[in-house]
Amino acid sequence: MSLTEQLLRPLLASPAKPLITHYDDRVGSRVELSVATMQNWAAKTANWLVDEFDVEQGDAVAVRLPAHWQTAGVLLGAWWCGARVVAEPEGARVVFTTPDEEIDAPAVAVVSLDPMGRGLSTPPSGGALDYLSEARMSGDQFFPMQPTPGDTPALGSSTVDEVWAEATARAAKLGLTASDRVLSTMDWTVPDGVLDGLLVPLAASAHLVQVTNADPAKLSARREAERTTADLTA
């Protein structure tokens, strides 16, 4: 079973439950996404990776993105189709990057990071693709051709089983449960930031309140408004 299926399966009984609330203090945005919405973006991404780039189990997908709800969709989609998430573009089947970064790679997907999910205002250059505009046309459900074995590489050099075991162990050590609302200011660097900042709260089925480009003066108000019960900081 893929890492994404292990993360989302316990949550599907309550698809309308908020899963990720994303703030970006630099642009002043707040976006809340339910379990169903995140599953939908993960499915679209997985279908797009398979159909557009022929991604197979164990293939490397480079993710060079900040902590953002769109990054969550990219990561969950990559794991759902059995891809291995890495940081560096060398040897990757496709590289996901921001509009500000120019990557010389055979296949590049540019993620707009627009709070409301709009694609790029101008087409990317050099043959790169607009992830949001392209992936949203893919199917809302993903059906893998075969189950993802637990020994499939998933994050850096770690396998699906290893990542899942580490994420659940760290969540248990922090005492996180499904009733928690976790405020995080962590950056989702690959692999450590993704593990601690995204996978740990999701492995506990907790609601993640991710604050990107956090303004320290606003964090107390964020905690109060979101009724958070735990903090994750870098």
Side-chain angles (χ1 to χ4, degrees):
M1 183 185 300
S2 72
L3 189 57
T4 295
E5 291 169 291
Q6 293 184 71
L7 290 165
L8 294 182
R9 184 177 57 174
L11 299 166
L12 294 179
S14 303
K17 175 186 175 182
L19 182 63
I20 296 177
T21 298
H22 177 245
Y23 286 89
D24 188 336
D25 282 350
R26 183 173 296 167
V27 299
S29 62
R30 178 189 184 277
V31 180
E32 184 173 277
L33 298 102
S34 67
V35 172
T37 301
M38 283 311 312
Q39 182 191 37
N40 180 266
W41 271 109
K44 286 180 177 296
T45 302
N47 280 313
W48 190 57
L49 287 172
V50 171
D51 295 341
E52 181 70 32
F53 302 103
D54 297 322
V55 171
E56 298 180 352
Q57 291 177 2
D59 283 346
V61 170
V63 179
R64 304 170 62 84
L65 300 169
H68 195 282
W69 69 262
Q70 290 166 27
T71 306
V74 168
L75 291 167
L76 292 171
W79 289 319
W80 205 346
C81 64
R84 175 169 68 100
V85 172
V86 298
E88 299 304 318
E90 288 77 18
R93 180 74 70 174
V94 58
V95 181
F96 286 88
T97 188
T98 68
D100 299 329
E101 184 179 34
E102 292 187 6
I103 293 289
D104 183 15
V108 176
V110 181
V111 182
S112 75
L113 304 177
D114 179 84
M116 304 310 297
R118 292 181 289 261
L120 298 168
S121 56
T122 57
S125 60
L129 297 173
D130 179 346
Y131 159 70
L132 282 173
S133 296
E134 297 272 347
R136 73 169 70 252
M137 304 301 293
S138 295
D140 293 342
Q141 299 183 60
F142 179 67
F143 301 99
M145 296 294 293
Q146 56 187 358
T148 301
D151 60 357
T152 303
L155 182 61
S157 60
S158 299
T159 66
V160 171
D161 284 348
E162 290 169 340
V163 173
W164 178 249
E166 186 65 21
T168 53
R170 294 190 190 189
K173 185 176 181 180
L174 292 170
L176 298 180
T177 70
S179 63
D180 278 307
R181 296 171 63 86
V182 182
L183 184 139
S184 174
T185 59
M186 297 188 70
D187 193 11
W188 294 351
T189 54
V190 175
D192 294 338
V194 167
L195 177 61
D196 286 323
L198 177 66
L199 291 176
V200 166
L202 294 192
S205 299
H207 178 178
L208 173 61
V209 180
Q210 175 66 42
V211 183
T212 304
N213 301 312
D215 180 348
K218 296 180 179 179
L219 288 179
S220 179
R222 297 274 186 265
R223 293 186 183 96
E224 183 177 356
E226 297 294 343
R227 306 183 305 282
T228 57
T229 57
D231 276 16
L232 292 174
T233 57

